[in-house]
Amino acid sequence: MYNEEEHDLALTKEQLVSLLGKMLLIRSCEEQVVKIYARGEIPGGVHTYIGQEAVATGVCAHLRLDDAVFSTHRGHGHALAKGMKPERLIAEVMGKATGCCGGRGGSMHLFEPSVGFYGTSGIVGPSILFASGAAYASKLANADRVGVAFFGDGASNNGAFHEGINMATAWGLPVIYVCENNLYATEVPFAMISKSPSIACRAQAYGLPGVDVDGNDVLAVYQAAGEAVTRARAGNGPTLIACRTYRVRAHSEGMRDTGYRTQEEVESWKVRDPILLFKTRLLGQGVIAQAEIDELEAEIRKTAEAAADFARRSPLPDPATVSDYLYS
Amino acid sequence: MREMTFTEAAREGLAEEMARDPMIFVVGEGIGARGGNFNTTVGLYNLYGEWRLRDTPISENGFTGICTGAAVLGARPVVDFMFLDFELDALGGIINQMSRLRWMSNGQVKVPIVLRGGVGVASTGPHHSSNLFSLFMHLPGLRVVLPVFPADAKGLLKTSIRSDDPVIFLEHKKLMNLKGEVPEGEHLLPFGQASVVRSGKDLTIVAISYMVIETLKAATLLEKDGVSVEVIDPRTLAPLDISTILESVSKTHRLLIVDEDFSPGGAGAEIAAQLMEQGFYELDAPVRRLNGAFVPGPYSPPLEAAVVPNAQTIAKAAHDLLVE
Amino acid sequence: MAFEITLPRLGWDMVEGALASWLKQDGEFVRAGELLFSVEGDKAIQEIEALDSGYLRILPNGPQPGGEKVPVGTLLGYLVPQEQLASFRFPGGDLSDSPKQEAEAIELAEPALVTSQEQAGAPSGDGRTRRIYISPYARRLAEGLGVDWQMIKGSGRAGRIMAKDVEAIAILPKPEAPIAAPSSIQPTPPVQPVMPASALQPAFSAARTVMSPIRRKIAEHMAKSAHTTAPVTLTSEVDATELVTLRKTLKDDAASSGQAVPSYNDLLAKLTAQALLEHPLANARIEGEEIVQLATVNIAIAVDTDRGLIVPVLRDVQTKTLRQLAQESAALIEKTRSGTVSYEELQGATFTITNLGMFEIDAFTPIIDLPQCAILGAGRIMPKQVVVDAGAGRVEIRQMMFLSLTFDHRLIDGAQAARFLQRVKKFVEYPYLWLVG
C-alpha cells in the first residue's frame, strides 16, 4: 500500500506535468462525451471514466507503443492514455465514419492497433485472456513487449480472471493485470458477491504477486505499474495490481445513480478526485504554479472541444460498406 | 503415391507448417509430450518444445481467449480441443470475440487461429458426440472446414493454418484411421471447393463429413439396381461451394443431402434453400434431407445404429427420392 | 463563449422530457457539479448537475418549469463565465437560427441489404379446375420439347408429372425453336435437349396445331374407356325390311307432313329403350363396388359435327312416343350442329346409339361411353339376297342391317348381352312388338 510519505520518485517536472496533462485530457474528453450524450447525439450508451483517470494514466505512462493494452466497457480513459487521438474516440462514440472503427463498434469496441490499443470490449473478462495471449505471442517472437489488461471488480469474478491468471502465471507470461475496483459491478457491491477480503489477495491462490494500490493517487499507481512492467519485461512473469478507485457518475450515462449508493459516499470520493489531489500536491510542493495549471487546462479543453467539433461535423458511415472486412 | 491415415496426413501438414513459421503454436490438453489424445501432435514436442506445444489446464474458455489475444498480436495458434464438445465451453469467446474482431475493428485486427475438434457419434455418448455443423456455418467471420479423406485433411489443415481468418476445423472420429493416398510435396487445398467424389447421372447426394464414406457404400448398392449416383463432398461449409452442387443437379435433377448432424436447422437446410433459390428449374423432385435422429449422440451400438444414417438407409432414401 | 444548458437525455430511449424546476436563480453563480435544475423524465423527477461554472441566465422564452415536454437537447439557458457577463446577449430572434440549435439528427441508416434472393417464378393457373402438379424441371423440359404437359399423366408422388413422363410422350423436336407457350403459362427457361447422335432424324415435317379443348376431352375420355372397361362386341345381321317399310309409311303420310318424321335413329332409340326395359342390366353402371340400376332410359345419339363427335341425349325415351322423339332429336341435332347445344343436354345418357350406316359401314366395334355399360352401333341398311325358307329353297331380297353391340363384360356377361341383342333384333324385325308399348 503506497502513501504520501513515500513519494520520493525521481520524476522530473516534465514527467509530472505529463501525468497531469494526460489526466486532464481524459477528463476533458469525457466531459465532452457527457455533453454530447446529453444532447442525444450518441446512438448508444457510454460508460465514462470520470474519477478513475489516475489508473489509466499511471499505468500507460510506462508503456511503449508496441505494448498491447486490452480494456473493458469503461475504456475511454485507457484508449486516450495509450495514445488514441481524441477525435478518433469521440467520432467513434458518435458512430461516425471518422471514428477509429468507422462507427462499427462505438464506445465499447474501440481499436487503435497503431498505438497498441487492442480494444475495449462489451463483454467483461476477455481482456484478461487477450492480454495474456499478447504476452504469449511476445515470448514466441522473443520480444520484450508486455500485455496489459484493464478490467473492473466485476470481471474479477469471471472465469476468465481465474483461468487466465492461472495459466499466465504457470507459463510466466509478461502481462500486467490492472483491476479497477470502483466498488460496484454496475450497481452490485463487491462485498455482496464475494467473500474475498480483497481482489489483490486472490493473487496468492495463483502464485503471482498481488498489490493493493490507492487508485486515485496517480503516483502510487505509477510506482506499482512501473515495478510490474519491469518484472514482466525481465521475464519474471505477471503481476496483479488492484486499484481502489471510484466513478462519481452513474454506471452509464443517463442511468439513474440512486438506490445503491448514498450521495454522502459520492461526495466523499469527489473530494478525493485524482486530478484535484494531484494538482494540490504539485502546487503544494512547488512543482508547478496555478497559472501554468490554468493554461494547461485551457489548452486541453480547447483540444477536447476541437475533437468534439470534428466529430460532430464528420459524416456517418456509408451503408454500402457494411459487409467489408468480414474475411481476409 | 504414399498411403497414410487421416491423422497421419493432418499431422504431416501441421508439422510442415510449424517448420515453416515459428509463430505457429499448438495449445490443448495433452498435446505436448504425450502427442495428443488422438495423436494429432506425436513427435512435435521433441522438435519444438513447450512454447510451441503448450499443454493446458482444463480451461477451454481461458486458453481459447489467450490464443485469440496471441493471434491478434501476430501468432498463429492451433487450438486442439480433442472433442468439439469441450470446445463449446469457449463458445462465448468464439462468437463474441474471435469471429467479430476483424469486422468490428474495421479491418484493423485479424485472428489467424485454427480450432480443431473431433466430431461425430462413435460409441462416445452424449458428451463426446456433437456435430453442430450448422451452428458454426451460421456465424459471420468463421470458416468451417470438414475434410474426409487424408489428402484433404492435410491440404485443408495447411490452408487453415495459413488463413488469416478463424477456422473451425472438424474431424470425424470415424475418419481418423481412414487410409488414403496423400500426394508428395506441397499440397494445399483452397476453401470453398467441393469435390465430386463419384460421378453419376440419376441423383446427386451431398454428404457431410463421415457420411461421405457411408454414401459411397450406398452408391455401390444402388449401382446394382442400375441407379447411378453422383456423390459430392463439400469439404468446407463456410465458404460453401454451391456452384458444384448446382452443376451436378443440372445434370441429375434430384438432390439428397446426408448429414449425421440433426435437423431442424442443419447444414442441409441451408443447402436445400440455396438450391431451391438458384436451381429451381433444375429440380424434378423436392430436395430431400437424411439427417441423424433428433437426439443427442447415444452410447450403446443399437441406439447408435438407429440414430446415424448408414449405407442401407441412405440407399433407401435415394430410392425413395427417385420414384417420388 | 457561454455554456449551453440543454434538456439532457436520461436513458437510451428517452426522446423528450419536461423541465420540472430550476434549482438556482436566474443570475446566480453556479459551480460545476452543483445541482442546477430538475427534469421530469419517463419515470420520475431527476436532479441534474451543472456541467460547467458560470452565471445562470435562463432563456426567457424557453421551456417553463412544470410546462410541457420538449425534445431532448432543447436549449434551457446558459452558464455565462464572469468575463462575458457584461456583453452576454441571448441569441436574438428565432432560436432555430442559432447554429448551436442545429442539433444534428442522428440518422439511422437503412439496414443494408446484404443478401439478395431470386424470386422463383410461380406458374400461374391456367384456368382449369383440376390442379396439375409438375416439377419445375419437367415443365421446362416440356416447353423446350414442345409438349403440352397439361395432358400428361404424372407418375410421381401425388400424380406429379416428372421429367421421364414428359420424355415418354415427347415428339422429337424440330431444329427450329419450339412453339410459343400459351400466354397463360409463365415463361420458364426452356430446356434445349441434347439429342444423342444416334437419335432419329426429325423427319416429320407435318403441320402442328394445338389440340382443341373438345378434342382433348374426347381423347381423354376414349382412352379412359379403353383402359377401364372390358369391352366385347357382338354383331348380328338383322332383317330391317319391316323397319324400312315403317319408316317409309311414316314419311309418306301426307297428313303428317310438316311434322318431324322419325329417323332410323329415332326408331332404333325407341325399340332399344323397350328392349332395355326387358334387359335392365344393359341400362346400368358401375360405381365403385356397386352396380347402379338406372331408373329411366336416356339414349345418347352420336352426331358427327365438324368439331367432332358430339352426343346429345334423348331423355326418358321409354315414356315418349315416336313423334315426340322425332321432334326432340331433330331439335337436338340442329342445336348440336350449330354449336348451341347446352351442357345439360349432353349429360345423363344411360345408353348410346351410334349409326355409321351413311358411311357404308356394316359392322364395327363402338367404344363404350363411360359410365354407361353398353353401346349399340348400327350399320347401313342394304338389300341382300336372303334365304327365307331353307327347306323350300326360297330366296328373297330383303333389307339387311348389321347391329354391333359393345358391352362392358365387367358388368354384363356374354349370354346376357346376347339375349339383349337378340331382343333388339326381334324388335327391328317385328316393329309391332314394341309399337304397342
Side-chain angles (χ1 to χ4, degrees):
Chain A
M1 184 52 196
Y2 295 87
N3 56 40
E4 260 192 32
E5 278 71 63
E6 291 179 10
H7 282 311
D8 232 316
L9 308 161
L11 284 179
T12 64
K13 173 175 173 179
E14 205 184 312
Q15 285 173 310
L16 292 167
V17 171
S18 166
L19 290 175
L20 177 62
K22 193 61 100 174
M23 289 202 287
L24 286 170
L25 178 65
I26 297 172
R27 177 69 56 94
S28 284
C29 289
E30 292 290 71
E31 283 173 344
Q32 289 299 317
V33 168
V34 167
K35 285 189 191 175
I36 295 170
Y37 182 89
R39 261 196 264 275
E41 290 171 355
I42 293 181
V46 284
H47 311 78
T48 60
Y49 199 66
I50 293 176
Q52 302 183 197
E53 295 87 349
V55 180
T57 304
V59 172
C60 292
H62 295 285
L63 300 181
R64 308 189 309 231
L65 272 184
D66 65 342
D67 292 322
V69 165
F70 295 84
S71 166
T72 177
H73 59 288
R74 191 180 305 283
H76 298 176
H78 312 128
L80 291 167
K82 192 62 173 62
M84 183 184 290
K85 292 204 167 54
E87 55 270 22
R88 298 265 287 174
L89 169 68
I90 300 180
E92 181 63 31
V93 162
M94 291 183 77
K96 299 296 181 90
T98 50
C100 60
C101 294
R104 288 174 164 209
S107 168
M108 288 187 282
H109 314 91
L110 303 169
F111 289 85
E112 196 78 273
S114 61
V115 301
F117 188 71
Y118 287 94
T120 55
S121 172
I123 312 267
V124 304
S127 65
I128 294 164
L129 301 175
F130 295 160
S132 313
Y136 199 101
S138 173
K139 287 284 271 202
L140 265 187
N142 290 316
D144 66 343
R145 303 187 307 252
V146 301
V148 176
F150 287 100
F151 53 98
D153 46 288
S156 77
N157 291 312
N158 185 261
F161 175 92
H162 303 276
E163 292 187 11
I165 292 183
N166 179 52
M167 281 186 272
T169 310
W171 302 334
L173 300 181
V175 55
I176 297 101
Y177 301 110
V178 183
C179 178
E180 291 168 296
N181 182 358
N182 60 16
L183 307 187
Y184 299 96
T186 309
E187 294 180 359
V188 181
F190 185 80
M192 202 187 281
I193 40 132
S194 172
K195 284 266 196 287
S196 298
S198 75
I199 293 174
C201 80
R202 290 175 168 182
Q204 201 175 33
Y206 302 111
L208 77 167
V211 185
D212 250 313
V213 175
D214 176 358
N216 281 20
D217 177 351
V218 66
L219 293 181
V221 174
Y222 184 87
Q223 168 114 12
E227 288 176 10
V229 172
T230 306
R231 277 193 71 230
R233 278 203 220 286
N236 293 327
T239 311
L240 171 63
I241 305 176
C243 301
R244 278 172 299 104
T245 181
Y246 201 79
R247 57 163 171 77
V248 294
R249 297 188 67 77
H251 167 75
S252 91
E253 283 307 300
M255 264 174 82
R256 293 178 54 126
D257 200 23
T258 55
Y260 66 100
R261 62 185 186 179
T262 62
Q263 197 55 31
E264 288 77 46
E265 182 186 281
V266 177
E267 292 304 324
S268 75
W269 278 89
K270 276 188 180 170
V271 301
R272 302 202 61 250
D273 178 285
I275 295 175
L276 182 62
L277 287 181
F278 196 48
K279 275 198 275 194
T280 309
R281 180 176 304 135
L282 291 179
L283 283 169
Q285 298 193 355
V287 174
I288 195 173
Q290 183 63 52
E292 284 173 273
I293 290 180
D294 292 343
E295 200 188 310
L296 185 62
E297 279 183 341
E299 191 190 310
I300 286 170
R301 185 175 262 205
K302 266 214 203 62
T303 305
E305 282 169 357
D309 197 47
F310 168 83
R312 271 218 221 87
R313 285 183 287 107
S314 288
L316 288 164
D318 177 4
T321 62
V322 77
S323 296
D324 293 351
Y325 306 122
L326 196 53
Y327 295 105
S328 62
Chain B
M1 221 191 271
R2 315 150 310 148
E3 212 188 48
M4 53 176 71
T5 66
F6 182 107
T7 299
E8 288 163 349
R11 194 169 62 230
E12 188 177 84
L14 175 62
E16 285 175 13
E17 292 305 301
M18 289 189 77
R20 216 178 46 84
D21 184 350
M23 292 304 284
I24 297 173
F25 69 108
V26 185
V27 160
E29 293 153 24
I31 52 88
R34 192 170 151 240
N37 189 56
F38 291 125
N39 299 326
T40 46
T41 53
V42 170
L44 296 176
Y45 184 79
N46 292 338
L47 289 175
Y48 300 115
E50 67 171 359
W51 278 95
R52 298 186 68 194
L53 277 303
R54 177 61 74 180
D55 269 318
T56 59
I58 302 175
S59 310
E60 273 76 12
N61 187 43
F63 62 70
T64 306
I66 288 179
C67 288
T68 306
V72 166
L73 265 296
R76 305 191 85 92
V78 176
V79 188
D80 192 333
F81 290 95
M82 212 189 307
F83 292 94
L84 170 64
D85 316 70
F86 301 165
E87 188 171 337
L88 299 180
D89 245 21
L91 211 54
I94 292 172
I95 299 176
N96 279 324
Q97 310 292 345
M98 200 186 290
S99 76
R100 296 180 184 168
L101 277 166
R102 176 189 290 270
W103 186 91
M104 63 184 182
S105 68
N106 212 26
Q108 297 181 90
V109 150
K110 65 180 186 185
V111 192
I113 191 170
V114 179
L115 307 181
R116 295 179 73 171
V119 298
V121 179
S123 295
T124 32
H127 283 167
H128 293 70
S129 304
S130 297
N131 288 298
L132 304 177
F133 308 130
S134 54
L135 184 72
F136 297 104
M137 195 185 173
H138 185 58
L139 298 165
L142 293 182
R143 303 294 194 188
V144 181
V145 178
L146 354 79
V148 177
F149 298 99
D152 296 350
K154 178 176 177 184
L156 284 170
L157 183 57
K158 285 171 67 92
T159 300
S160 300
I161 292 172
R162 292 193 197 189
S163 168
D164 279 349
D165 297 320
V167 178
I168 309 287
F169 191 89
L170 299 170
E171 311 164 66
H172 200 289
K173 301 174 199 75
K174 287 181 179 167
L175 291 172
M176 289 178 179
N177 290 322
L178 180 74
K179 283 208 163 126
E181 288 187 335
V182 179
E184 303 267 6
E186 187 80 298
H187 175 59
L188 288 160
L189 283 172
F191 295 150
Q193 194 186 81
S195 163
V196 180
V197 183
R198 184 191 165 110
S199 276
K201 57 171 190 53
D202 295 326
L203 171 66
T204 301
I205 303 184
V206 172
I208 298 179
S209 187
Y210 174 69
M211 288 294 105
V212 171
I213 306 299
E214 288 297 317
T215 300
L216 288 172
K217 291 186 204 158
T220 308
L221 290 175
L222 288 160
E223 195 176 40
K224 296 200 182 84
D225 294 337
V227 174
S228 153
V229 175
E230 182 146 293
V231 181
I232 297 183
D233 170 9
R235 300 199 287 199
T236 61
L237 287 177
L240 174 68
D241 179 5
I242 197 71
S243 332
T244 298
I245 301 172
L246 273 168
E247 205 181 296
S248 176
V249 174
S250 326
K251 191 173 55 160
T252 65
H253 309 291
R254 277 162 207 261
L255 176 62
L256 173 68
I257 303 159
V258 181
D259 183 5
E260 186 180 308
D261 197 9
F262 29 63
S263 90
E270 177 64 29
I271 295 172
Q274 288 194 28
L275 232 301
M276 189 275 298
E277 286 167 356
Q278 299 176 48
F280 184 71
Y281 295 105
E282 298 301 343
L283 291 171
D284 200 24
V287 176
R288 290 286 177 209
R289 297 167 288 163
L290 179 62
N291 285 87
F294 190 47
V295 293
Y299 169 67
S300 180
L303 294 177
E304 177 181 330
V307 163
V308 177
N310 59 49
Q312 279 75 28
T313 56
I314 295 171
K316 172 152 194 327
H319 262 302
D320 290 348
L321 180 54
L322 280 167
V323 303
E324 88 150 282
Chain C
M1 199 60 156
F3 301 109
E4 290 181 339
I5 306 165
T6 57
L7 192 87
R9 183 169 134 209
L10 308 170
W12 269 34
D13 49 7
M14 175 175 160
V15 293
E16 58 180 16
L19 172 64
S21 63
W22 287 102
L23 302 173
K24 295 282 187 186
Q25 309 254 14
D26 190 28
E28 194 180 331
F29 182 75
V30 179
R31 249 176 226 94
E34 289 181 322
L35 295 174
L36 182 54
F37 61 98
S38 59
V39 169
E40 191 170 340
D42 292 328
K43 300 197 174 103
I45 301 202
Q46 228 169 299
E47 291 175 332
I48 310 299
E49 60 183 36
L51 298 173
D52 305 284
S53 300
Y55 289 88
L56 174 61
R57 299 308 317 275
I58 298 174
L59 202 64
N61 45 354
Q64 295 305 306
E68 290 187 348
K69 289 195 173 184
V70 293
V72 160
T74 303
L75 185 67
L76 302 174
Y78 292 89
L79 287 170
V80 186
Q82 172 149 38
E83 60 274 15
Q84 297 171 29
L85 202 52
S87 59
F88 174 76
R89 295 284 176 272
F90 286 113
D94 201 356
L95 281 170
S96 62
D97 284 345
S98 166
K100 291 269 172 110
Q101 287 303 102
E102 283 165 21
E104 248 177 61
I106 306 282
E107 283 160 14
L108 295 172
E110 294 278 326
L113 200 64
V114 292
T115 58
S116 67
Q117 291 178 342
E118 292 162 27
Q119 292 295 315
S124 65
D126 58 356
R128 297 172 75 90
T129 52
R130 181 169 75 93
R131 198 136 175 217
I132 307 172
Y133 296 96
I134 180 168
S135 79
Y137 174 62
R139 185 164 145 170
R140 193 157 78 85
L141 184 64
E143 284 163 9
L145 290 173
V147 168
D148 183 359
W149 50 266
Q150 284 159 17
M151 296 311 296
I152 300 174
K153 184 167 166 19
S155 60
R157 188 167 60 92
R160 192 183 81 254
I161 300 165
M162 304 197 279
K164 73 179 195 343
D165 302 320
V166 172
E167 282 157 0
I169 75 155
I171 312 170
L172 293 170
K174 297 168 25 159
E176 309 94 73
I179 52 165
S183 59
S184 62
I185 298 176
Q186 284 270 6
T188 54
V191 173
Q192 302 306 319
V194 177
M195 301 307 284
S198 60
L200 291 173
Q201 294 308 305
F204 305 102
S205 50
R208 290 166 177 259
T209 44
V210 182
M211 272 164 88
S212 70
I214 292 178
R215 178 53 36 198
R216 284 205 292 257
K217 212 164 154 57
I218 294 172
E220 194 182 284
H221 203 60
M222 293 297 163
K224 188 171 175 207
S225 177
H227 292 143
T228 310
T229 60
V232 177
T233 306
L234 304 174
T235 56
S236 182
E237 193 173 28
V238 313
D239 186 344
T241 311
E242 290 301 307
L243 200 69
V244 172
T245 305
L246 172 57
R247 183 160 193 271
K248 190 168 190 306
T249 308
L250 292 172
K251 195 168 161 198
D252 290 347
D253 180 18
S256 53
S257 73
Q259 293 183 43
V261 178
S263 66
Y264 280 110
N265 282 345
D266 298 328
L267 295 170
L268 284 169
K270 185 64 188 170
L271 65 86
T272 303
Q274 197 63 34
L276 283 171
L277 289 179
E278 295 167 22
H279 296 269
L281 202 50
N283 194 52
R285 60 168 64 139
I286 294 178
E287 277 181 18
E289 306 278 325
E290 295 177 318
I291 296 170
V292 181
Q293 183 59 59
L294 298 157
T296 191
V297 179
N298 298 333
I299 295 192
I301 317 245
V303 177
D304 175 44
T305 73
D306 49 15
R307 285 188 319 287
L309 177 70
I310 296 183
V311 217
V313 181
L314 290 168
R315 290 174 200 283
D316 310 309
V317 176
Q318 77 280 12
T319 64
K320 294 195 174 141
T321 65
L322 264 180
R323 188 69 73 192
Q324 282 171 312
L325 290 174
Q327 283 160 350
E328 279 177 24
S329 73
L332 273 175
I333 287 167
E334 171 55 40
K335 280 197 212 170
T336 302
R337 291 234 162 88
S338 68
T340 56
V341 67
S342 74
Y343 178 77
E344 287 74 28
E345 285 163 332
L346 300 174
Q347 304 306 307
T350 65
F351 193 92
T352 303
I353 293 180
T354 172
N355 193 329
L356 295 179
M358 69 286 252
F359 303 111
E360 300 172 284
I361 303 296
D362 295 317
F364 56 108
T365 54
I367 293 185
I368 294 166
D369 192 356
L370 279 175
Q372 298 160 39
C373 66
I375 179 170
L376 182 66
R380 62 179 161 172
I381 301 175
M382 65 179 256
K384 285 186 178 177
Q385 266 194 347
V386 173
V387 176
V388 294
D389 189 349
R394 198 160 53 116
V395 166
E396 279 180 21
I397 297 198
R398 306 286 291 175
Q399 298 288 349
M400 300 306 283
M401 174 172 81
F402 270 99
L403 289 175
S404 307
L405 175 73
T406 303
F407 66 95
D408 187 344
H409 209 310
R410 296 181 300 158
L411 181 52
I412 310 171
D413 291 336
Q416 293 167 311
R419 276 195 281 276
F420 168 65
L421 185 58
Q422 196 177 43
R423 194 57 177 156
V424 172
K425 175 177 194 288
K426 189 78 176 208
F427 282 160
V428 171
E429 292 174 349
Y430 300 96
Y432 303 120
L433 291 176
W434 52 270
L435 280 170
V436 75

